[in-house]
Amino acid sequence: MESYATVEGRASAEIEEKKSRFIASVAHVETEEEALAFLEEVRAANRMARHNVYAYVLRSADGAGTGGERVRYSDDGEPQKTAGLPTLEVIRHAGLTDIAVVVTRYFGGVLLGTGGLVRAYTQATQAGIAAAPRVTVSRCADVQLQLAYSDYEPVRRLALECGAKILDEQFTDEVALTARLLDGQQDAFLAKLRELLHGKERVRVEGPFDAVF
């Protein structure tokens, strides 16, 4: 699997254009069902709004990474190509997937024209995405280790040298350490670990799986 960029959790941002309020709500979603549920949630929270424009991009409709990319957008009553498409283009330009954006418009009484609408929906989406934590998801493996205290520092240093991220450390009568590596790097790390600990290591490997890295 190739790594891909997405957002983590949810975020929102608001801009104002000629007395109209544009509120961008952003969420990490992995299936079409989740994207549509998020849209309905935003609509329900903004029943008095004139428009709830949306766009989403998924790696796949089923969330399993199969079946090809799924993309949808809607102008929700705004003039064609002035709202949903600009929202989608901001997502595309940011290089993100598994993301849904809903831009809610509260009409301020002043018509913006097609250029003004494109600009407003673009800027609102940009602001929403800027407010969302951006993460990279990759194929990973976790290596869980049980260590004597005397081995802790050398093993931790080795893990970091091999490109691992330390996820967890617990200190009792011994040390429990969990390190995450990109899939394909764990074998080299385990080989160096055996050499360092002379075969007395206690290891459990989980994965591969998709995770933030």
Side-chain angles (χ1 to χ4, degrees), residues 1-9 26-32 34-35 55-72 87-101 129 132-138 210-212:
M1 183 208 75
E2 292 185 3
S3 298
Y4 62 93
T6 185
V7 294
E8 193 169 43
V26 181
H28 174 78
V29 293
E30 296 184 358
T31 66
E32 198 154 25
E34 289 179 4
Y56 60 79
V57 178
L58 304 171
R59 286 194 307 136
S60 62
D62 60 4
T66 59
E69 185 181 61
R70 181 66 165 161
V71 177
R72 284 186 66 182
T87 299
L88 175 64
E89 288 178 343
V90 173
I91 296 172
R92 289 293 207 194
H93 188 262
L96 298 170
T97 190
D98 282 358
I99 179 177
V101 178
I129 288 176
R134 183 186 178 111
V135 294
T136 300
V137 176
S138 303
D210 292 349
V212 173

Side-chain angles (χ1 to χ4, degrees), residues 69-151:
E69 185 181 61
R70 181 66 165 161
V71 177
R72 284 186 66 182
Y73 66 89
S74 169
D75 294 309
D76 193 35
E78 294 282 32
Q80 190 176 9
K81 296 184 179 180
T82 64
L85 187 58
T87 299
L88 175 64
E89 288 178 343
V90 173
I91 296 172
R92 289 293 207 194
H93 188 262
L96 298 170
T97 190
D98 282 358
I99 179 177
V101 178
V102 184
V103 182
T104 301
R105 181 188 182 190
Y106 285 91
F107 184 56
V110 179
L111 295 176
L112 301 183
T114 56
L117 286 171
V118 170
R119 182 169 59 253
Y121 280 103
T122 296
Q123 291 176 350
T125 305
Q126 288 171 336
I129 288 176
R134 183 186 178 111
V135 294
T136 300
V137 176
S138 303
R139 200 71 172 160
C140 299
D142 284 355
V143 179
Q144 299 173 350
L145 303 165
Q146 298 291 328
L147 302 167
Y149 274 81
S150 58
D151 294 324

Side-chain angles (χ1 to χ4, degrees), residues 14-32:
E14 179 177 339
I15 68 164
E16 185 173 316
E17 182 74 19
K18 295 182 179 177
K19 299 183 180 179
S20 281
R21 294 169 59 209
F22 293 83
I23 306 165
S25 301
V26 181
H28 174 78
V29 293
E30 296 184 358
T31 66
E32 198 154 25

